[in-house]
Every structure is written in structure tokens, then in C-alpha cells.
Amino acid sequence: MLVGYPVSRASAEPLVLGAGARLRSGTVLYDGSTIGRGLQTGHGVVIREACEVGDDVSVWTNSVIDYGCRIGDRVKIHCNCYVAQFSELEDDVFLAPGVTIANDLYPGDQRSAQLMAGPRIGAGAQIGVNVTILPFVRIGAGALIGAGSVVTRDIPAAVVAFGNPAVPRRAVAELPDIDERVGRERCRD
């Protein structure tokens, strides 16, 4: 575990880490970030410099939050996720395992590098397993993105979207009840 990893870029302030952190082995937290109370990490987590991370955030095994990200309170980032530079995750966002977030429209192109920006994911949005989210995309509050989707365009608040490319399919409020979906007998076991 390395807390306060030195930054090679321009001089950075020391890492600010709130009380009650639970950091597992292999966690690396860079100088120059501010992290709120109650951070929990899995093994092999990296949080780079110039990030602002809220309270009660969980970042699980082998996930990376690259530099310059804004992460709200109570965000849960599951295993094997990559959150690209300059991404914004508002309060209560959930990223399932394997979510990949991009920030560069044309990797290797100098002009693209100057305009680099990650997506903004609205409060309470839930992102399914192995979803890829492209740069500049806005996902509305409370949206649900289905497993394996590629989000190439903005997704409105409170809708279910899936596919490649992901498109809105229905309102989250229209989803069948879990008992209906799984089967009443299975839920009682």
C-alpha cells in the first residue's frame, strides 16, 4: 500500500485522506487528491492525482481512477473498472465490474488530447457489467445502462438504455418487479 505517492507533474499538494479509510494491499493513492471519509478499496486500486473523491466511496479490486476525476458521495466502483481522466461521477453512482470509461476521441491526436474530457454520469445512475462509455457523453440521473452496452451518445435521466450503440428503451419506472423477472418461487428460496 502506498499513501501519498509522489506526483511527477507540476508540484502537487499532499494527499488529503478523510477519516475511517479501509485500504487493502496494493492500493496506491497519489498526492494532490482530496478523498473524503470512509473510503474503502479492494486490492490493487489506484487513485491518481488531482481527483476529488467524496465520502463513503468504495473502489474494488484492480480498478483505476485516473487523474482529474470528480467522484461524488456513496459511489461504488466494482472490480476491474477504469475511470478515465476528467470523468465525473455524481452521488450514488454504481459501476458494475469491468466498466471502461474513455476520454479521448482520437487517441494520439494532439488536438484531441487538448480537448480531452470524460463523461458525466448523473446521480444514482447504474452502469452494468462490461459497459464502455465514450468521451463527452452525459448519462442522466437514475439511468440504468444494460450489461455489455457501448454508450456513444447522451442518455436521458431515469431511462433504461442498452445495446451497441446504447439507446433508450423504456423508463426505469416501467421495469418489471424483481419477483416477476426472476420468478416468485425463486425469490422465496
Side-chain angles (χ1 to χ4, degrees):
M1 177 171 27
L2 225 129
V3 177
Y5 188 84
V7 177
S8 61
R9 297 174 193 271
S11 64
E13 296 295 317
L15 171 71
V16 175
L17 180 60
R22 183 172 182 184
L23 308 177
R24 290 179 175 83
S25 65
T27 295
V28 178
L29 305 178
Y30 279 61
D31 276 340
S33 285
T34 301
I35 300 171
R37 297 181 319 269
L39 173 70
Q40 292 189 53
T41 69
H43 304 280
V45 167
V46 176
I47 300 177
R48 294 284 309 269
E49 70 272 18
C51 289
E52 293 178 14
V53 179
D55 294 334
D56 301 314
V57 170
S58 301
V59 184
W60 295 120
T61 299
N62 295 326
S63 290
V64 174
I65 299 173
D66 224 325
Y67 64 86
C69 292
R70 306 290 172 257
I71 310 290
D73 295 335
R74 300 170 304 281
V75 170
K76 297 198 182 323
I77 299 172
H78 219 292
C79 301
N80 301 312
C81 293
Y82 176 69
V83 180
Q85 300 95 329
F86 313 120
S87 296
E88 297 179 35
L89 283 63
E90 295 180 359
D91 294 347
D92 303 303
V93 165
F94 174 78
L95 302 184
V99 170
T100 301
I101 296 176
N103 65 354
D104 195 347
L105 288 173
Y106 302 106
D109 181 283
Q110 184 59 33
R111 178 76 174 128
S112 183
Q114 293 168 352
L115 299 172
M116 202 178 295
R120 183 182 324 138
I121 302 174
Q126 298 178 38
I127 313 300
V129 171
N130 290 325
V131 167
T132 299
I133 305 171
L134 296 186
F136 300 101
V137 168
R138 303 295 181 243
I139 296 176
L144 174 60
I145 309 298
S149 296
V150 179
V151 183
T152 62
R153 297 175 191 255
D154 292 356
I155 302 295
V159 301
V160 177
F162 56 89
N164 183 2
V167 295
R169 308 290 178 147
R170 66 168 83 171
V172 170
E174 296 171 357
L175 285 173
D177 180 80
I178 289 178
D179 288 341
E180 252 180 79
R181 175 110 191 250
V182 176
R184 292 185 195 287
E185 295 305 313
R186 248 177 128 177
C187 286
R188 291 185 194 149
D189 291 341

